[in-house]
Amino acid sequence: MPVLATAILVFVLVFCWLALQRHAAFWTGRFDLGNMVQAVWATAHGHPLEVTSTSGVQFIRLGAHVDPILAVFAPLWWVWPAPQMLLVVQVVVVATGAVPAALLGRRWIGDETLALACGIVYLMYPAIQWSLVTEFHPVTLATPLLLWCIWAVDTDRTWVLMVLAPLAALTKEQVGVALAMIGVWALVRRSRRRVGAALIGGGLSWSLVCFLFIIPHFSPVGESPFVGRYAELGESQGAVLKTVVTRPWEALAIMVDGGRPGYLAAMLLPLLLLPLLAPIVALGALPELGLNLLAQYWPQYSVQYQYTAVTSAFLIAGTIGGIARLRRMRLPGPAASFVANPVRLSAIIVGAVVAGGYVQGPLPFWGALPGGSTIRTHEYTVTRHAHAQAGAVAVVPGDVAVSTSNLLGSRLSARRHVYTWPVIRDAAWVVVDTKRPFIGDRISEAEHRWRVAALERDRRFQVRYSVDGVLVFERVRR
């Protein structure tokens, strides 16, 4: 498919530019690109997956998320030791997901035009596009990997599955559950008993080991640091699960509250609700959707963040299955004629996903058109303030402990100890940005103001750089 290859190439060029431009404009941060940079840097320097927590404690990243696939990037860091490497590799890997989408379209639908449309839908899906311009996250790689796994099951490529399924599992702790859902589909729809049983047993076992043993063992606080996002349901993983099972109405009340219905609409409407016509494969999205809809942390139920990665894979597969079923359905005359025409049907399907991007996608040129998305378009412009931030980063030596504001953190994380402002501890240098007043990963202007004022009065530190509200302090040597 030369057209699909061209589309993938254009996609890679556009989203590499957007991701790198956003980084150049200093809108990537310690959360989360900087965290990944530190983990990869530490691995490349003999301290596997070691990072600094928000409280200033050194720990193995597996205590936050079980995403050891980060270790695979260590050799790449030796070749290209920069945060930009992670951003570029992420775009390239995710772009490959258009291939299994098209291959599944060819197998399930049996039409080359619609198969090509399936690949284009994958590339134009707003949730996938957003995941590429919002930092770097290992779980984002799960989107193409899971689609490749579905294709491997469908074509009985066991050896491919044996390589890709473990890689997918290494992107985040709950991806094992997603693999188990592929196993259910393999059993029910493809009658592949051994493969299905292996995916179900292996996937669930891996996720259980992650949640019950790996995370508690490596966590500085003895449990997942993200349990608090489900505080309305319980104070621990067990309590949350008990509430969901014994009082499901409480969970349901949360899932329909606030912006959550809008999140579901944003995920499904660009796909014309087609995943609903292929419920067995689309059901694989349910566990991740449940985690997102139950959370009190709003980015989890927004299409603008990485939390859609696992869900997107199943919804794209469901869309392909939905098209196949739609073509087999007995429809009234005009509808049957329309669906039977692959060019017209492809135009509607691709048009819908493009319209979804027009309304809520990350491509900045949409904003130049009437009613087009202007969401975060300012983040691609390198401003005078960004130059001031770059100057501050250049002042800090590369081999010292540093305390940094969030949006300076992605540039200063390739070192052993990186504290997140206002934590200072033994940091020799402190870098803060008064115009983007982050306290940890949250903005708090009042607290930021008084903490900076206190640091300016602290005789243990001297100001070494001050441009456009960006300050660099060095600890006085005595």
Side-chain angles (χ1 to χ4, degrees):
M1 290 185 182
V3 176
L4 182 62
T6 302
I8 291 172
L9 177 60
V10 172
F11 178 90
V12 167
L13 292 175
V14 169
F15 280 92
C16 279
W17 182 82
L18 288 174
L20 295 176
Q21 190 70 4
R22 187 172 180 270
H23 182 68
F26 278 80
W27 284 104
T28 57
R30 173 67 180 160
F31 303 95
D32 289 313
L33 178 58
N35 286 330
M36 312 309 169
V37 166
Q38 188 182 18
V40 172
W41 179 92
T43 303
H45 288 78
H47 308 285
L49 301 179
E50 184 180 278
V51 294
T52 310
S53 73
T54 53
S55 61
V57 175
Q58 294 296 111
F59 77 110
I60 306 301
R61 179 173 165 77
L62 302 180
H65 286 302
V66 184
D67 45 17
I69 199 170
L70 282 169
V72 174
F73 290 86
L76 295 177
W77 187 269
W78 298 332
V79 178
W80 186 4
Q84 292 90 328
M85 178 271 290
L86 299 179
L87 297 173
V88 169
V89 172
Q90 178 174 249
V91 171
V92 172
V93 172
V94 170
T96 68
V99 177
L103 292 176
L104 288 170
R106 177 185 289 169
R107 285 181 59 83
W108 295 355
I109 304 170
D111 181 89
E112 289 295 313
T113 301
L114 285 165
L116 173 62
C118 292
I120 301 299
V121 164
Y122 173 90
L123 296 174
M124 296 303 296
Y125 189 44
I128 290 175
Q129 293 184 346
W130 273 116
S131 69
L132 297 178
V133 297
T134 307
E135 314 283 333
F136 167 87
H137 301 92
V139 72
T140 301
L141 308 180
T143 306
L145 287 171
L146 289 171
L147 273 173
W148 277 112
C149 287
I150 292 171
W151 171 82
V153 170
D154 194 61
T155 57
D156 203 21
R157 301 287 211 289
T158 305
W159 62 273
V160 175
L161 187 65
M162 290 174 64
V163 173
L164 297 183
L167 283 176
L170 297 180
T171 62
K172 200 173 183 181
E173 54 274 10
Q174 63 258 41
V175 176
V177 177
L179 290 169
M181 297 302 288
I182 294 177
V184 172
W185 168 77
L187 282 173
V188 174
R189 297 296 295 173
R190 292 297 180 265
S191 300
R192 302 195 187 281
R193 296 181 181 179
R194 291 184 180 179
V195 170
L199 285 170
I200 293 171
L204 291 179
S205 297
W206 170 247
S207 288
L208 283 172
V209 167
C210 290
F211 284 113
L212 298 180
F213 300 104
I214 296 178
I215 292 176
H217 176 75
F218 289 105
S219 172
V221 295
E223 64 176 355
S224 171
F226 305 108
V227 173
R229 295 181 181 181
Y230 304 90
E232 287 192 19
L233 297 170
E235 297 181 354
S236 65
Q237 291 179 168
V240 171
L241 183 60
K242 181 180 179 181
T243 300
V244 171
V245 172
T246 61
R247 301 194 301 277
W249 54 88
E250 294 184 16
L252 183 61
I254 294 172
M255 295 172 76
V256 299
D257 187 39
R260 294 170 179 84
Y263 162 68
L264 288 175
M267 294 294 290
L268 288 170
L269 290 182
L271 302 175
L272 296 176
L273 305 180
L274 285 167
L276 301 182
L277 294 179
I280 303 301
V281 67
L283 280 174
L286 278 185
E288 192 76 7
L289 277 176
L291 284 174
N292 293 339
L293 292 171
L294 289 172
Q296 299 302 305
Y297 181 56
W298 71 265
Q300 283 192 237
Y301 50 91
S302 166
V303 295
Q304 298 177 33
Y305 296 89
Q306 76 278 9
Y307 302 102
T308 62
V310 173
T311 304
S312 293
F314 289 103
L315 293 184
I316 293 294
T319 298
I320 301 166
I323 296 170
R325 184 175 180 186
L326 184 65
R327 300 256 293 174
R328 294 193 301 267
M329 292 172 65
R330 293 184 177 180
L331 301 171
S337 176
F338 183 87
V339 169
N341 187 316
V343 175
R344 292 180 181 177
L345 185 57
S346 295
I348 290 296
I349 294 165
V350 173
V353 78
V354 170
Y358 182 84
V359 173
Q360 60 178 5
L363 294 174
F365 57 73
W366 290 136
L369 301 174
S373 171
T374 58
I375 304 171
R376 288 163 48 185
T377 52
H378 64 284
E379 295 183 2
Y380 304 112
T381 302
V382 179
T383 62
R384 175 170 162 267
H385 188 69
H387 289 295
Q389 292 171 294
V393 169
V395 171
V396 181
D399 58 348
V400 297
V402 62
S403 173
T404 173
S405 287
N406 181 32
L407 293 182
L408 291 151
S410 66
R411 308 296 190 97
L412 293 167
S413 291
R415 63 191 72 229
R416 187 78 183 274
H417 298 278
V418 188
Y419 304 115
T420 304
W421 169 260
V423 175
I424 296 178
R425 293 209 172 194
D426 61 341
W429 294 77
V430 180
V431 188
V432 296
D433 185 350
T434 60
K435 289 192 173 180
R436 298 176 182 176
F438 277 87
I439 296 293
D441 63 346
R442 303 287 190 274
I443 289 204
S444 178
E445 293 185 12
E447 181 179 354
H448 194 276
R449 190 181 304 112
W450 72 257
R451 285 188 179 275
V452 171
L455 186 60
E456 289 175 324
R457 294 192 301 268
D458 193 331
R459 295 184 178 180
R460 295 173 298 171
F461 290 90
Q462 290 184 347
V463 177
R464 297 300 187 193
Y465 179 93
S466 178
V467 177
D468 199 33
V470 183
L471 305 174
V472 179
F473 298 84
E474 182 184 11
R475 188 182 293 271
V476 177
R477 299 176 183 177
R478 299 186 182 278

